[in-house]
Each structure stands twice: as structure tokens, then as C-alpha cells.
Amino acid sequence: MIAAILKEQGKESASIEELQKCREVANSSDDLEARYKAARTLGESELSRRRYKEAVRMLEEAFDFAKQTGIKQQIDEVRVALGTAKGKMNIEGFMNVLQEEDCLEKVLAWKSHRKGGFSQT
């Protein structure tokens, strides 16, 4: 609740800090649903801030908790959010590669593999 108010006020960093505190409290308990909600909310906030690596990390954690609870709706919802975060992370890498001088070689190398995402190497 406090994190949402801070976000509405444009205080993104303070909102994330509040969500991290909530996650710490939830992780200190045995309540899997609270852990799921804390990780998912933090992951979705990171996703909205375009911090894709952090979003993927949090949403993967939420996905693990959702699987442990066995609640199909939670599993499905977080699976979609996780797929979105991974997709956005990969497309960002792709767009960065396209702006490089030797992008054609990297695109062709990726096309022949199609296993991983794009990297700056």
C-alpha cells in the first residue's frame, strides 16, 4: 500500500525500497503466498521501470513460490509476467546489437544458434 502511494507520487526509488522491505519481511516467514506476492510485486515494479534483469530474477522467485503453493491461477499469471520480462530483456539486447557497427555479423551468428539472447560481446 505504501509502495503504491510512493509510486503515485513519483517516488520510484522509495517505492522499490518499500517493496524490498516487504519482501524481506515475507521471506522471514513460512507463508508461501506472502513470499509469492512480495516477489511478484517487486518483479512487476522492476519490469515497469525497465530493469529487466532484476524483474526476471524476482519473477522467477515468484514463479517458484507459486509452484510450491500449487495455485494454478498464480502460476499462470506469474508465468505470463516472467515471459514478458524475459522477452523485453532479449529485445533490449537485440536493439542494442543493432546499433553496433558489426551488427550484421552478430545477427547472423545469433540466427544460426537461436539459443540465447543478445549480448554486447
Side-chain angles (χ1 to χ4, degrees), residues 64-78:
D64 289 340
F65 291 136
K67 288 190 298 186
Q68 290 176 44
T69 65
I71 300 171
K72 186 175 177 356
Q73 182 176 353
Q74 287 181 349
I75 294 168
D76 291 342
E77 288 173 354
V78 75

Side-chain angles (χ1 to χ4, degrees), residues 1-14:
M1 187 64 133
I2 294 171
I5 293 168
L6 289 168
K7 186 175 181 178
E8 283 180 17
Q9 293 175 344
K11 300 176 182 176
E12 290 286 331
S13 295

Side-chain angles (χ1 to χ4, degrees), residues 14-107:
S15 174
I16 292 293
E17 288 176 22
E18 192 64 34
L19 290 172
Q20 288 170 337
K21 288 177 191 175
C22 291
R23 181 174 163 262
E24 288 173 17
V25 170
N27 283 345
S28 68
S29 76
D30 292 331
D31 186 349
L32 285 176
E33 192 157 345
R35 294 167 118 183
Y36 160 79
K37 287 178 182 177
R40 179 176 171 191
T41 303
L42 185 54
E44 289 175 343
S45 287
E46 294 289 16
L47 181 58
S48 72
R49 295 178 71 200
R50 297 180 178 180
R51 295 171 42 117
Y52 302 126
K53 187 180 277 189
E54 293 85 356
V56 167
R57 187 170 55 85
M58 285 295 100
L59 292 168
E60 283 176 340
E61 186 176 294
F63 184 65
D64 289 340
F65 291 136
K67 288 190 298 186
Q68 290 176 44
T69 65
I71 300 171
K72 186 175 177 356
Q73 182 176 353
Q74 287 181 349
I75 294 168
D76 291 342
E77 288 173 354
V78 75
R79 180 181 285 140
V80 169
L82 179 56
T84 300
K86 285 182 175 182
K88 288 187 176 196
M89 185 170 63
N90 284 335
I91 197 72
E92 183 179 77
F94 176 74
M95 296 308 288
N96 289 336
V97 167
L98 288 180
Q99 295 175 8
E100 294 178 6
E101 203 170 295
D102 61 346
C103 72
L104 181 60
E105 291 148 15
K106 289 184 178 181
V107 169

